[in-house]
Amino acid sequence: MKFPENTTVVVVHGAWADGSSWQAIICMLEDRGLNVIAAPIPLTSLSDDAAALKRTIARTHGPVIVAGHAYAGAVIATANDERVKALVYVAALAPDEGETVAQVFYRDEPHPKAPQLAPDADGFIWMPDEGFAGAFAQNATDEQIALSKAVQRPISVNSIQEPAPVPAWKSKPTWYLLAEQDRMINPKTQRFMAERMKATVRPFAVDHTPLLTAPEKVADVILEAAQATLS
């Protein structure tokens, strides 16, 4: 399918990551003729992150598909711009209006290998080193895990405790890649959120970070959303 001119996919990283986590998917989508841009969110509060996404979307021209991983699900739900045609959640959190990220993250029991998370003296939460191989991306290569540790960015407690505004998934077509082997966000929680959003659900036997470990599946879901909403 040939997409409309100036179609852009805006990708948003989650906690403990940066835009480079989308590297493989960016290349795949650009090979299919889509423009791709990563939103550099600061992870300092949900409002700050939403503002960063809004600035990124303002840099684009034409129709937009917005995709978010993990924490970024709460961020992409603030994308109410009329040019945004679809939202794609990748093992992502989807609080409803008035809910916090923490409330949905801790909705169901944690996996036995889920890391113990706590803020530092400055109110930022870091991923323990062992958490990357144990839960963040247990199917990743040693090189991917080493790089993830080296570039990790902490998330502020403010980001996960700020109540969410009215989410865009109530008015925009939504897709959800459900990670059945996720050790960070319980797959039961993912199913609950996806069904509440009335999303098109695509379950796969992947870990929490298929951006690294199954990028072709992530790209396929984004392409499906683009084809369905831009044709």
Side-chain angles (χ1 to χ4, degrees), residues 46-186:
L46 182 56
S47 296
D48 290 347
D49 297 334
L53 174 58
K54 185 176 182 178
R55 290 192 296 270
T56 302
I57 293 172
R59 296 176 55 205
T60 68
H61 305 279
V64 176
I65 306 294
V66 183
H69 173 236
Y71 161 73
V75 181
I76 69 172
T78 67
N80 289 301
D81 190 294
E82 63 180 11
R83 291 190 296 111
V84 174
K85 303 304 180 184
L87 305 174
V88 180
Y89 285 70
V90 181
L93 294 161
D96 201 346
E97 181 183 6
E99 287 182 336
T100 68
V101 168
Q103 284 175 317
V104 286
F105 182 76
Y106 291 110
R107 184 177 188 272
D108 290 294
E109 65 276 9
H111 189 278
K113 293 191 177 180
Q116 295 296 311
L117 301 171
D120 63 15
D122 296 313
F124 285 89
I125 303 168
W126 296 83
M127 172 70 69
D129 280 353
E130 63 273 13
F132 285 97
F136 185 79
Q138 72 267 21
N139 298 332
T141 65
D142 290 345
E143 182 180 53
Q144 287 174 322
I145 290 168
L147 183 60
S148 296
K149 289 180 187 178
V151 304
Q152 80 151 302
R153 297 175 57 228
I155 184 168
S156 171
V157 170
N158 295 331
S159 293
I160 65 171
Q161 291 185 346
E162 181 180 343
V166 177
W169 48 257
K170 291 191 173 183
S171 58
K172 295 183 184 294
T174 303
W175 276 254
Y176 197 105
L177 188 158
L178 196 158
E180 297 174 323
Q181 298 175 355
D182 200 316
R183 297 177 180 176
M184 292 294 300
I185 303 172
N186 191 316

Side-chain angles (χ1 to χ4, degrees), residues 216-231:
E216 67 289 340
K217 289 181 169 57
V218 179
D220 284 347
V221 176
I222 294 172
L223 286 166
E224 179 185 343
Q227 290 165 351
T229 56
L230 299 176
S231 59

Side-chain angles (χ1 to χ4, degrees), residues 167-209:
W169 48 257
K170 291 191 173 183
S171 58
K172 295 183 184 294
T174 303
W175 276 254
Y176 197 105
L177 188 158
L178 196 158
E180 297 174 323
Q181 298 175 355
D182 200 316
R183 297 177 180 176
M184 292 294 300
I185 303 172
N186 191 316
K188 289 194 300 183
T189 303
Q190 294 183 42
R191 175 71 66 178
F192 164 77
M193 294 183 294
E195 291 180 351
R196 181 170 67 173
M197 289 191 289
K198 298 180 172 57
T200 299
V201 183
R202 296 291 178 252
F204 296 105
V206 297
D207 63 19
H208 176 67
T209 312

